[in-house]
Structure formats: C-alpha cells, structure tokens
C-alpha cells in the first residue's frame, strides 16, 4: 500500500515537472497550455513594466497589480533584487498607512466604509502575496480591524467588496465570525442565492457571483466547521448561475467578467463537462495585445486565470514566503583559497585624516575589489569596512571606523595606482590584477 502511494506521488511530481504551465481547463490540451503560458509571460512583463519610478502603479492600482502579478506568477516578486523588492513592499505599506491614517483622522466615514473595507481587503491580499505580515502591520492587527468592519450592521451592500474582505481573512487563515459568513451566504436575498443588487446588468452580476464563489471556496472549511449548513448548496447554486451566463463564443461578458468567471469555476472545481472552458480561455487570449488586457486595472484582475489561480489561491502561494531571501543580503562569503588556485595579489592603501595604512591582499583571479576587501577584513583585524547596497551596487560607508561625513562633505573615493586617478566604477565593478594598488582616500568635496 505504502509503495503504491509513493508511486502515485512520484508520478504526480514527475507529471508536474514535465508539463509546463498549469493544467488550464484540466490540462488535457497542450496547445492551449502553451498559448496560455506565452500570454502569461507577456502579461506579467507588461504589467510589471507599468510600475512607476516611485514604486506605485497608476490610478491607485498598486495593490491590485501586485496581487495580480503574484497570482499570475508567484515567482515574480522573488525574481527581483532586494532593492526592487524593498521599493515594491514599502510603496504598498506606505499607501496602506496613508489610507489607515486618513481613516483615523477623518473619523468614521460610514458611507464609504463598505468600499473602504473592500479596498483594505485588497491591500491585505497584496501584502500576503509578497510576504508582509498582516498580523503585525506597525502594531495594527489588520485581521482584527477587518473583522470589526465586517461585524458592523449595514456596512456592506456591495458583495464584490465584501467578498474581497472575506478573501483577505480566509487567505491568511484568520478566523471569520459566523455572522460574517452567514452574510455572505445570504447575499442580498436569502431566497435567491444568485441575486445581487446589480441585477440590471448581467455582466456585473457575474462579476459579483464570481467573487462570492471564490470567497466561499476559500472560507469553506471555516464555514463547515462553524456549522453553516446551506454553504455548499448556495455555492453550487451560484456556480450554476455563472455557468448559465456563458455565451456561445465562450465569454461571460467582457474580458474582466470572463476571467472572473473562469477563476471562480476553476476555484470551485466545476466539472469540465458543465461549461466550455477552452472557448472561454480562447476568448480571453484574444482580449490582449502584447499582454495588455486593456489597462492596469483590468489586466490585474484578469491575469490570475493564466496560472489557474484565483483571488482565493494565496494560501498556497504564501508557502513560498519561507524561501524568500532576506531583505538585504549579508556580505557574501568568499570561498577558501586552496594551494594551486589561480590568484591575484594586490595592495590596498587607506588614507584618512593624515594616516596612511597599507595592506596586501590575495584574491582568486576574477574576483572584484569588494571580495578583496572582505578577504582582507577576514584576515586582518586592523582593516574594517562598512558598505551598503544601493541601486548602483555596493558603496562604501566607512573604512577603519572612519565614516563618510555628509555634513562636512567628506566621502571615500577610490583611486587606482596613485592619488587623482579616480576609479571609473564602484568596488563591485573593479577587478584587481597583480601588483596593482587601490587607494581609498577620504576626500573633501566641500
Ligand atoms: C485545444 O486548444 C486549441 C488551441 O486553443 C484549440 O484550437 C482546440 O480546439 C483545443 N482542442 C480541444 C479538444 O479542445
Ligand atoms: C492554514 O490552515 C490550513 C488548514 O488548517 C493549513 O493546512 C495551512 O498550512 C494553514 N496555512 C497557513 C499559512 O497558516
């Protein structure tokens, strides 16, 4: 028995690694999987390229873009250098903090609370997607804030936003009050699970139903645990209403509506025989140009389907958080130099405040000056340095305890061979050769 189980697991793993991309529409159609994979690459690149120089995305879409990117490609964030990750996460945090503070100072804008909570839900989801703690956001426990908002009577009439709020809690495994779950089941009309306040516009109706379905799938364990019996019946009814909305061309409305429907039906694991997944996906693939599905907002909402994900898929994605390298890498550790290695020996000279110190350093051929400094500091207690990463690479902050001094315009400069021959690059871009002398001079720029 054990052996068979192992064999099955082995097969599953093998199948996963062989098959590129997710099992879109069940995965049986490799042409479709390939096409989706291509559009996914285009879309992720397109949306990532819309990030502003300040780290935000246009038209208040920072949180939506980050969430969409991570759901479409969970390796998007980890694929960036620490400086870029920092820019993205701090922009997200900064925007949310502005938002929370404006709430606090403007009192209690009840009229907008529902929408505000939906927005808070989007921020919480985006944070979880890039491994920022929701539980301790500058001493705010956002899940507590959210639960409080959800418990208020008559806060929500918009179940699109409401679903985002529920999703932000269940994605982080946070407890949701029974009353809030019941509200999601009841919707706008208890007797008609598919009714929404936007009945006039069928497309909008499917948008809301799709979000409700994603939220219900995500929160299902909690709902069953809390004894909400109608859960699965209402869920099936809503799934069926979405399926009934599919047109002959495979769409469910516009591109956003169609993608939300595909995401919801995928989340609910609706049987492939009950709806036409391939046509829906093919329709969606025609709705983009070079990965752009009609702007930042719509592309952000649409692209999770390209990775078979939905707004309730974050629990699986957040598992990659533990693999994330630390925000700022510590100094690299050079390999030990063995006898017979191809090495380079050169001199480092340090001039500051009238003192001159000289050191000899040996590095492996091909290593840069930064590695030379690390090797020297490891071997010689008289030499120390501090450096920090920047967008331009590692730069020197202090040598032998003497720091840059911006007040007095004193900065460390690098010279090769003799004073005045300024090095054209930083310590990571300089590759010493035998018998060269690298001179660090604390230089007065005032
Ligand atoms: C597989 O996908 C291709 C490309 O999208 C499509 O033309 C074809 O009809 C699909 N085949 C089936 C059996 O669905
Ligand atoms: C959430 O709960 C599920 C089920 O109890 C568990 O398998 C999963 O690891 C939890 N995820 C997190 C992020 O805590």
């Amino acid at each position: 028995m054990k052996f068979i189980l192992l064999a099955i697991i082995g097969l599953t793993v093998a199948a996963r690694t062989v098959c590129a991309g997710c099992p879109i529409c069940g995965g049986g159609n490799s042409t479709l999987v390939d096409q989706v994979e291509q559009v996914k690459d285009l879309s992720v690149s397109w949306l990532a390229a819309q990030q502003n120089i300040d780290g935000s995305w246009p038209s208040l879409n920072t949180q939506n873009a980050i969430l969409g990117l991570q759901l479409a490609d969970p390796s998007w964030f980890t694929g960036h250098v620490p400086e870029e990750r920092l820019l993205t996460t701090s922009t997200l945090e900064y925007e949310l903090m502005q938002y929370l503070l404006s709430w606090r100072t403007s009192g209690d804008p009840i009229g907008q609370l529902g929408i505000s909570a939906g927005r808070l839900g989007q921020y919480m989801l985006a944070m979880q997607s890039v491994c920022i703690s929701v539980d301790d956001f500058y001493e705010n426990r956002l899940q507590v804030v959210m639960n409080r908002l959800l418990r208020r009577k008559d806060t929500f009439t918009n179940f699109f936003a409401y679903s985002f709020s529920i999703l932000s809690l269940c994605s982080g495994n946070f407890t949701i009050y029974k009353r809030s779950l019941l509200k999601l089941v009841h919707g706008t009309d208890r007797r008609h699970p598919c009714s929404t306040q936007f009945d006039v516009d069928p497309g909008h109706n499917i948008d809301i139903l799709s979000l409700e379905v994603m939220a219900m799938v995500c929160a299902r364990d909690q709902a069953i645990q809390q004894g909400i019996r109608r859960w699965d019946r209402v869920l099936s009814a809503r799934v069926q209403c979405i399926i009934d909305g599919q047109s002959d061309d495979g769409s469910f409305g516009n591109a956003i509506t169609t993608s939300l429907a595909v995401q919801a039906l995928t989340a609910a694991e609706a049987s492939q025989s009950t709806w036409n997944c391939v046509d829906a996906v093919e329709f969606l693939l025609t709705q983009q140009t070079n990965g752009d599905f009609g702007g930042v907002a719509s592309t952000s909402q649409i692209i999770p389907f390209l990775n078979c994900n939905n707004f309730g898929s974050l629990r699986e994605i957040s598992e990659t958080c533990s693999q994330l390298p630390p925000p700022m890498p510590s100094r690299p550790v050079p390999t030990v130099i063995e006898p017979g290695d191809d090495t380079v020996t050169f001199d480092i000279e340090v001039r500051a405040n009238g003192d001159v110190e000289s050191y000899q350093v040996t590095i492996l051929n091909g290593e840069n000056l930064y590695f030379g400094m690390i090797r020297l500091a490891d071997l010689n207690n008289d030499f120390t340095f501090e450096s920090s990463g920047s967008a331009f690479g590692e730069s020197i902050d202090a040598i032998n305890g003497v720091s840059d001094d911006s007040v007095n315009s004193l900065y460390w400069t690098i010279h090769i061979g003799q004073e005045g021959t300024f090095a054209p690059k930083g310590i990571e871009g300089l590759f010493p050769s035998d018998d060269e002398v690298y001179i660090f001079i604390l230089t007065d720029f005032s």
Side-chain angles (χ1 to χ4, degrees):
M1 185 62 195
K2 232 182 205 166
F3 172 74
I4 295 171
L5 254 183
L6 278 179
I8 291 171
I9 293 168
L11 270 179
T12 321
V13 171
R16 283 234 177 104
T17 39
V18 170
C19 168
C22 64
I24 194 102
C25 300
N29 188 330
S30 59
T31 319
L32 192 66
V33 170
D34 286 349
Q35 285 176 355
V36 165
E37 198 65 13
Q38 278 172 20
V39 171
K40 182 172 88 182
D41 290 347
L42 283 174
S43 292
V44 168
S45 307
W46 182 84
L47 186 54
Q50 308 309 308
Q51 187 174 19
N52 294 320
I53 196 92
D54 68 2
S56 68
W57 268 264
S59 317
L60 305 178
N61 275 305
T62 305
Q63 78 285 17
N64 298 326
I66 291 172
L67 181 57
L69 283 164
Q70 281 299 88
L71 288 171
D73 177 6
S75 67
W76 170 75
F77 184 63
T78 46
H80 286 75
V81 296
E83 295 88 341
E84 289 166 343
R85 292 208 301 272
L86 182 66
L87 181 68
T88 295
T89 52
S90 35
T91 305
L92 191 64
E93 293 192 353
Y94 180 72
E95 286 186 8
L96 177 58
M97 191 49 90
Q98 281 185 314
Y99 197 55
L100 292 178
L101 289 178
S102 79
W103 252 3
R104 202 175 286 174
T105 50
S106 63
D108 200 8
I110 279 285
Q112 290 174 17
L113 208 51
I115 290 166
S116 302
R119 207 166 149 71
L120 175 62
Q122 291 171 346
Y123 272 97
M124 287 169 65
L125 286 167
M127 288 168 71
Q128 292 171 51
S129 80
V130 291
C131 311
I132 303 173
S133 169
V134 164
D135 184 43
D136 180 15
F137 179 65
Y138 300 94
E139 298 179 3
N140 292 283
R141 308 189 75 195
L142 296 181
Q143 77 275 22
V144 175
V145 176
M146 181 60 89
N147 262 317
R148 237 184 259 142
L149 290 173
L150 290 183
R151 281 183 65 166
R152 298 169 92 127
K153 276 192 182 152
D154 302 326
T155 302
F156 282 94
T157 48
N158 178 336
F159 278 88
F160 193 82
Y162 192 80
S163 300
F164 264 114
S165 305
I166 295 286
L167 281 162
S168 72
L169 293 173
C170 67
S171 295
N173 268 5
F174 299 118
T175 306
I176 308 167
Y177 292 113
K178 186 168 182 179
R179 187 158 117 189
S180 311
L181 292 171
L182 280 170
K183 178 159 178 155
L184 180 60
V185 180
H186 293 160
T188 46
D189 182 347
R190 267 178 211 228
R191 285 156 305 165
H192 301 104
C194 295
S195 75
T196 71
Q197 62 168 347
F198 295 102
D199 271 348
V200 269
D201 173 357
H204 205 147
N205 199 18
I206 288 184
D207 289 357
I208 296 167
L209 284 171
S210 299
L211 256 293
E212 286 175 345
V213 163
M214 293 180 223
M216 289 188 79
V217 171
C218 181
R220 183 174 181 273
D221 290 351
Q222 286 202 40
I224 302 301
Q225 238 172 37
Q226 301 201 35
I228 303 181
R229 270 188 244 112
R230 288 182 65 217
W231 198 265
D232 283 343
R233 248 187 304 146
V234 171
L235 181 53
S236 313
R238 286 177 178 163
V239 165
Q240 190 56 50
C241 289
I242 297 173
I243 291 175
D244 292 345
Q246 187 167 29
S247 308
D248 289 342
D249 67 356
S251 74
F252 289 81
N254 65 20
I256 294 178
T257 303
T258 304
S259 175
L260 294 177
V262 170
Q263 291 179 49
L265 296 177
T266 306
E269 296 177 6
S271 159
Q272 297 291 322
S273 62
T274 57
W275 63 295
N276 194 335
C277 179
V278 173
D279 283 1
V281 168
E282 283 194 328
F283 167 82
L284 280 170
L285 296 181
T286 63
Q287 301 297 301
Q288 49 79 39
T289 316
N290 291 324
D292 173 8
F293 281 94
V296 171
S298 38
T299 303
S300 304
Q301 288 192 71
I302 288 170
I303 60 176
F305 94 91
L306 293 165
N307 204 33
C308 303
N309 276 326
N310 70 86
F311 292 116
S313 309
L314 276 182
R315 257 185 296 196
E316 285 118 69
I317 289 171
S318 56
E319 282 164 21
T320 61
C321 287
S322 54
Q323 297 154 22
L324 197 64
M328 281 297 164
S330 49
R331 233 173 235 185
V333 180
T335 53
V336 176
I337 297 178
E338 306 278 0
D341 281 342
D342 181 11
T343 59
V344 166
T345 299
F346 68 102
D347 287 326
I348 285 180
E349 198 174 294
V350 179
R351 300 188 199 169
N353 307 327
D355 290 336
V356 179
E357 299 284 346
S358 231
Y359 313 90
Q360 197 173 64
V361 198
T362 298
I363 56 174
L364 288 173
N365 195 2
E367 285 180 345
N368 58 27
L369 180 56
Y370 182 37
F371 267 69
M373 296 169 77
I374 294 170
R375 288 188 183 280
L376 177 57
D378 282 348
L379 289 175
N380 190 327
N381 290 335
D382 292 341
F383 178 82
T384 61
F385 76 101
E386 286 167 38
S387 62
S388 50
S390 72
F392 309 104
E394 209 65 22
S395 73
I396 296 171
D397 299 325
I399 298 178
N400 292 345
V402 181
S403 302
D404 270 358
D405 177 357
S406 55
V407 174
N408 295 305
S409 302
L410 293 169
Y411 296 100
W412 283 105
T413 55
I414 312 168
H415 309 250
I416 304 174
Q418 59 183 22
E419 184 168 352
T421 51
F422 285 93
K425 297 199 165 129
I427 51 176
E428 286 178 289
L430 297 169
F431 295 87
S433 43
D434 269 315
D435 301 318
E436 269 186 326
V437 184
Y438 285 79
I439 311 169
F440 292 96
I441 302 178
L442 190 67
T443 307
D444 189 345
F445 284 95
S446 60

